[in-house]
Structure formats: structure tokens, C-alpha cells
């Protein structure tokens, strides 16, 4: 069996596919990942022993400017990604038995699978983008819904229209070139009626979250066996557990002045600090020896050595911290991150800092909540409930789908 996994997005979109590909390999299948050509992602996939098919432009070139991408940027990017999926994935999919897509609205992947005649699966890492009578859609480039509209079904219909405006012309142009009929609802076509939810059921339960029939596999975790750098080990051994602060791929979205604020807050708490540089290129305000700056390190090993983890609320970082049993302070920036922050607070395993720009006082208050014995105790207990076999569950489902020639509709 040979399985194609496709995504376009940040590390939080790529690393889970590396975990799934590793699980597929362990079950005796071949797996390859089509992902953006960023050097960081190529290195990650090489470390996992997974073949990398470069797909589309680099993510860094889109999101790492001085300002966040605009709606005009989205309307330029959408047809470029559709074209890249048809051009890049078609020759690869012809030699595969099934394809799975995730990441930024993967319009074009199902269509490649349809033309080749192999099963297609759409996976997501949360439920917020899936149509639901219980909550409205998130923001999307295009014509906004009228002010005062509160009917969720109407709002989701308008969301589908915005997706059509972004992706429809390019998608149907490529489908026509392949002799395929046009699609009138791109969003629902991409999602299918039975998408997969690659999130832990304790951290993000699926019941009642969407109008679609979900198959929840659990989170797809790539085991990280890398040792921590010797200098970091020495820093961790030199005193009480530090506070970790990092915002991952949040470049233009990282809170202004967060490194300075984090250093002041940690010092006020009598804690040292591990500061992750990330795409925002965070740096401490001075060269004092109570702050250690890291690049790409093994978070699975590091988080368990920390007193608390302050982060942006990506699904992967939230899950890694929860598995480590370490309290969290989530400072969300975009998309699903506020919901992960609220979930962390709801579970009592940390604090949600929902204000967009932390101050010394506000971050101190949140960190104090995370460092209480009660929060630490709940985080430790919950760690044992977060399952680690989601990638294996999904891998087996994919292999079953490939063997049967159709995507599963229950699980």
C-alpha cells in the first residue's frame, strides 16, 4: 500500500502528518507527505524518515512579513494552491492507493483522487471550521455577512459562498480540463459528509460539535526522540523548573513586546525562562543568565521539565503540554486558538489569557493561576487521559479504506 498525505499550512499542519506517515510505515505501508517547501518542514520530514513532496509556495513567504496577510493576499493564494495541488499531486496520486488532505482548505485534492480513482479523506484538528447549528463560522476573506444576522444556518451558507468565491473558479477550471463536472459547493465537496477529527477526545470532544458525521481518531503525534542540547540540559539542571514561552509559527501575529513582558513576569515569580525564538524571532531584553533561548527542540522532552508553558494555543502545542502534565497559559492569536485557550481553562489545567496584548500584570495573574498546586495537580492527572495512539488508529483506517477502495463512513 502507498498512501499520499497532503497539507499546506504551518508546522501544526505538517507535523501531525509526519506522525501519521510514521504510523503507516510501522504498519508496513509506504507513505509520503506533500507539504510546503519550507526548509523547516523538509528537515522535520527527513528526521521522521518520510518522503517529502514540495507543494505550493513556502508558508514563511506568506505569513512572516511585518503585517499579517490581507484578504487580497488570500485571493491571490487560493488559486495558486489549487493549481499546485492539481499539478503536483496528480502524478504522485497515480501511484497511490488513497489520499488524505488537511491544512488550509485543500481544494483540489479530492478532485485529484476522483480523477485517479482512489479513496479520499479530509481530516481536521478541531471542529470550528465544520458547519454547525451550534456556533457561527469563523472569519474568512470575502463579502462579510450582514450585521445582525444570527441564524447559524444562514451564516454557514454565506461561509460556503465565500469559499466558492476564493476557490471555485480555479477548482472548476481544473476539473473541466480533466473532464470532471463542476462543483457548486467547494467547501462541502472538500469536507465530505464524514471528515476525520485528529484531536484527543479529552481535550476536544466531538459530540454535538458539527452537523457532519465525524470520525475521531485521536491526535496524530510524531514521537520525538531527540536529546535536549547539552547547554539546555545544564540550564534546566541549574535551578527550579523554568517557565517556557513560545509562539511557534506566529510571526506577525506574536504579541508585541511579549519577550520583554515574559522575562519580567518570570523574574517576578522567581523563575528562569526558556524562550523559543520561533518565526517571530523572539529575543530577551538582556543577556542575563536566567533566560535561555531555543530554536527547534524536543518539546516532548522539554515541557515536562518546565513549571508552566506559555504559548499561542495551537492544537499541537496544547496537546504536547497536556501530555507532559504541565500547566499552560494560552495567549491565543487567531483561528482555533481562543477555543483551545478556553478549553484549557475549562479543564482546569491552565489559564486563558484572551486579551490580545499581555501586560506584566495580566500575564502575572495568568501565570499565578497556572502555578497553583491545584492547577498543577489537575494537569498531572489529565496527562494520563490523553491518548497517544491516534496516528495508529488513523493509519489502520486509511489502510482499510485503500484495501476496500472507498473512504470509511463510520468509526
Amino acid at each position: 500500500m502507498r498512501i499520499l498525505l497532503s497539507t499546506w499550512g504551518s508546522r501544526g499542519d505538517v507535523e501531525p502528518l509526519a506522525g501519521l506517515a510514521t504510523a503507516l510505515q510501522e504498519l508496513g505501508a509506504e507513505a509520503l507527505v506533500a507539504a510546503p517547501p519550507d526548509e523547516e518542514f523538509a528537515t522535520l520530514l527527513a528526521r521522521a524518515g518520510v518522503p517529502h513532496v514540495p507543494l505550493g509556495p513556502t508558508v514563511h513567504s506568506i505569513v512572516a512579513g511585518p503585517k499579517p496577510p490581507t484578504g487580497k493576499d488570500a485571493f491571490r493564494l487560493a488559486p495558486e494552491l489549487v493549481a499546485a495541488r492539481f499539478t503536483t499531486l496528480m502524478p504522485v496520486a497515480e501511484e497511490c492507493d488513497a489520499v488524505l488532505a488537511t491544512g488550509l482548505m485543500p481544494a483540489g485534492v479530492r478532485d485529484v483522487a476522483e480523477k485517479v480513482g482512489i479513496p479520499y479523506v479530509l481530516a481536521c484538528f478541531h471542529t470550528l471550521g465544520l458547519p454547525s447549528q451550534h456556533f457561527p463560522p469563523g472569519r474568512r476573506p470575502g463579502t462579510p455577512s450582514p450585521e445582525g444576522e444570527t441564524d447559524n444556518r444562514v451564516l454557514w451558507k454565506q461561509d460556503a459562498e465565500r469559499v466558492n468565491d476564493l476557490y471555485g473558479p480555479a477548482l472548476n477550471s481544473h476539473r473541466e480540463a480533466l473532464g470532471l463536472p463542476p462543483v457548486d459547493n467547494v467547501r462541502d465537496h472538500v469536507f465530505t459528509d464524514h471528515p476525520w477529527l485528529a484531536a484527543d477526545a479529552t481535550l476536544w470532544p466531538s459530540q454535538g460539535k458539527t452537523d457532519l458525521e465525524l470520525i475521531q481518531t485521536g491526535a496524530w503525534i510524531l514521537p520525538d526522540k531527540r536529546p535536549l542540547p547539552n547547554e539546555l540540559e545544564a540550564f534546566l539542571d541549574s535551578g527550579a523548573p523554568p517557565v517556557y514561552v513560545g509562539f511557534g509559527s506566529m510571526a506577525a501575529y506574536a504579541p508585541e513586546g511579549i519577550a520583554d513582558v515574559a522575562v519580567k513576569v518570570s523574574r517576578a515569580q522567581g523563575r528562569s525562562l526558556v524562550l523559543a525564538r520561533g518565526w517571530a524571532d523572539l529575543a530577551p531584553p538582556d543577556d542575563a543568565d536566567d533566560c535561555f533561548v531555543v530554536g527547534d527542540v524536543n518539546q516532548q522532552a522539554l515541557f515536562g521539565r518546565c513549571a508552566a508553558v506559555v504559548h499561542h494555543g495551537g492544537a499541537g502545542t496544547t496537546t504536547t503540554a497536556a501530555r507532559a502534565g504541565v500547566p499552560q497559559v494560552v495567549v491565543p492569536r487567531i483561528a482555533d486558538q481562543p477555543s483551545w485557550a478556553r478549553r484549557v481553562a475549562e479543564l482546569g489545567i491552565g489559564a486563558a489569557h484572551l486579551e490580545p496584548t499581555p501586560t506584566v500584570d495580566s500575564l502575572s495573574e495568568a501565570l499565578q493561576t497556572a502555578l497553583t498546586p491545584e492547577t498543577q495537580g489537575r494537569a498531572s492527572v489529565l496527562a494520563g487521559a490523553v491518548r497517544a495512539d491516534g496516528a495508529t488508529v488513523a493509519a489502520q483506517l486509511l489502510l482499510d479504506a485503500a484495501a476496500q477502495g472507498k473512504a470509511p463512513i463510520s468509526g
Side-chain angles (χ1 to χ4, degrees):
M1 291 287 182
R2 197 164 191 254
I3 309 298
L4 173 61
L5 311 176
S6 176
T7 191
W8 195 91
S10 69
R11 180 166 181 149
D13 297 294
V14 178
E15 185 163 334
L17 289 194
L20 177 56
T22 299
L24 284 163
Q25 291 171 339
E26 290 174 350
L27 293 175
E30 293 183 66
L32 60 163
V33 173
D38 298 73
E39 182 179 353
E40 175 183 339
F41 305 153
T43 300
L44 168 68
L45 291 166
R47 173 166 60 82
V50 177
H52 178 205
V53 178
L55 175 66
T58 66
V59 177
H60 198 271
S61 68
I62 303 297
V63 306
K67 295 182 179 180
T70 65
K72 289 183 179 179
D73 295 328
F75 275 91
R76 284 192 294 266
L77 178 62
E80 181 180 358
L81 288 178
V82 170
R85 287 167 184 141
F86 278 93
T87 302
T88 302
L89 300 184
M90 185 66 74
V92 179
E94 288 174 347
E95 299 179 358
C96 292
D97 300 288
V99 59
L100 177 143
T102 188
L104 180 65
M105 187 58 67
V109 183
R110 179 177 182 177
D111 315 273
V112 168
E114 179 182 347
K115 181 63 176 179
V116 174
I118 58 176
Y120 160 85
V121 173
L122 183 282
C124 52
F125 304 119
H126 57 82
T127 53
L128 297 178
L130 303 177
S132 173
Q133 60 184 311
H134 303 294
F135 56 82
R139 296 179 62 183
R140 197 186 298 277
T143 304
S145 296
E147 288 189 22
E149 179 60 72
T150 59
D151 187 326
N152 286 335
R153 295 195 182 279
V154 172
L155 293 172
W156 280 106
K157 180 177 182 295
Q158 293 164 348
D159 176 74
E161 293 168 356
R162 286 188 284 273
V163 175
N164 279 348
D165 290 342
L166 278 164
Y167 297 94
L171 181 71
N172 283 324
S173 174
H174 285 278
R175 285 181 63 88
E176 182 180 11
L178 294 177
L180 299 173
V183 169
D184 60 5
N185 186 322
V186 175
R187 186 198 65 196
D188 291 358
H189 172 74
V190 169
F191 287 169
T192 77
D193 293 331
H194 305 278
W196 292 9
L197 175 58
D200 182 77
T202 298
L203 296 177
W204 196 287
S206 64
Q207 293 84 352
K209 299 289 187 180
T210 175
D211 298 340
L212 305 179
E213 184 179 335
L214 285 173
I215 299 173
Q216 187 161 16
T217 65
W220 302 342
I221 298 166
L222 174 66
D224 196 339
K225 299 179 181 179
R226 292 176 296 168
L228 297 175
N230 292 336
E231 297 85 355
L232 177 56
E233 284 279 8
F235 180 81
L236 295 171
D237 290 339
S238 65
V243 172
Y244 170 95
V245 175
F247 284 80
S249 302
M250 298 292 100
Y253 294 101
E256 184 176 354
I258 184 60
D260 292 3
V261 169
V263 168
K264 290 176 181 177
V265 169
S266 297
R267 286 173 179 168
Q269 296 283 345
R271 298 280 179 176
S272 57
L273 181 75
V274 173
L275 182 65
R277 189 177 297 109
W279 283 13
D281 200 23
L282 300 181
D286 54 49
D287 57 0
D289 61 4
D290 62 347
C291 183
F292 192 98
V293 180
V294 298
D296 178 23
V297 297
N298 183 347
Q299 291 183 339
Q300 295 171 18
L302 174 58
F303 283 3
R305 306 279 296 277
C306 294
V309 171
V310 180
H311 64 97
H312 56 295
T317 308
T318 303
T319 302
T320 300
R323 290 185 68 224
V326 60
Q328 309 180 45
V329 175
V330 184
V331 186
R333 312 308 301 155
I334 58 174
D336 57 312
Q337 295 167 10
S339 293
W340 284 107
R342 294 187 184 96
R343 184 59 178 159
V344 163
E346 179 181 296
L347 290 168
I349 60 173
H353 189 297
L354 298 177
E355 291 299 319
T357 305
T359 64
V360 171
D361 288 342
S362 67
L363 189 60
S364 292
E365 182 179 353
L367 186 58
Q368 287 171 358
T369 297
L371 292 175
T372 63
E374 293 79 12
T375 303
Q376 292 173 325
R378 284 190 291 267
S380 178
V381 170
L382 184 131
V386 179
R387 298 185 58 170
D389 64 346
T392 300
V393 170
Q396 189 60 64
L397 283 172
L398 265 177
L399 294 180
D400 291 346
Q404 297 170 11
K406 61 181 181 179
I409 61 172
S410 63

